[in-house]
Amino acid sequence: MIVDCPRCQTKYMLESQVEKTEFQCRTCGEQFMVIGVQDDAPTQISRKDKTLLIPEDKRIYVEIATGPEAGKAYQILKPIVTIGRGSLADIPLSDAAISRKHCVIEIAPERTVLRDLGSTNGTYVSGQRIDFVYLQDRAEFDLGKTRIRYLEISK
């Protein structure tokens, strides 16, 4: 599996068995997490109403803009990514106002959905509490005291 630094686009080769790994780019110093898939895990998930799949022509990241993990960036390499305070979350955050299973990002070829998972304090976009919303490049959303930025970069 090849991953790219979200800041300078330096490429790194990873073992295919990596599920979640923290990196520091040797070129620019950027620290970021890679959330990947194992060899036997699906890279495509089909549901009755849609197929979730990472588009081949894009790299997708989330950056933590504010909160305890501010400055961290995560490259997303699987179609469903959970965000929460729990250790089982793909993107674990330490903000006490975030639920263990707070929200999920679902990536399909035509659009990306941010879905709240019934969190206590809610998920907000532009100050409005949401159940779900379609994300576009550079969209920002708030969980507790943490603001997250969604990024799509064309290859």
Side-chain angles (χ1 to χ4, degrees), residues 27 33 40 45 50 58 62 70 97 99 104 128:
T27 304
M33 288 288 282
D40 59 349
I45 298 173
K50 61 186 166 189
K58 294 180 185 174
V62 293
S99 297
V104 64
Q128 298 291 317

Side-chain angles (χ1 to χ4, degrees), residues 26-106:
R26 288 183 230 128
T27 304
C28 70
E30 175 80 0
Q31 290 186 329
F32 63 101
M33 288 288 282
V34 175
I35 300 170
V37 294
Q38 295 181 344
D39 283 341
D40 59 349
T43 57
Q44 175 175 319
I45 298 173
S46 295
R47 292 187 174 170
K48 187 176 6 178
D49 58 337
K50 61 186 166 189
T51 297
L52 302 176
L53 174 70
I54 300 288
E56 291 184 16
D57 63 337
K58 294 180 185 174
R59 289 186 304 269
I60 298 175
Y61 300 90
V62 293
E63 293 179 338
I64 312 302
T66 63
E69 284 81 22
K72 286 189 176 182
Y74 298 82
Q75 183 174 8
I76 298 174
L77 299 172
K78 63 181 189 176
I80 298 177
V81 175
T82 57
I83 302 173
R85 196 170 32 85
S87 60
L88 297 179
D90 295 311
I91 300 176
L93 301 173
S94 61
D95 184 336
I98 294 176
S99 297
R100 284 183 182 86
K101 293 182 181 177
H102 197 98
C103 63
V104 64
I105 296 174
E106 299 176 346

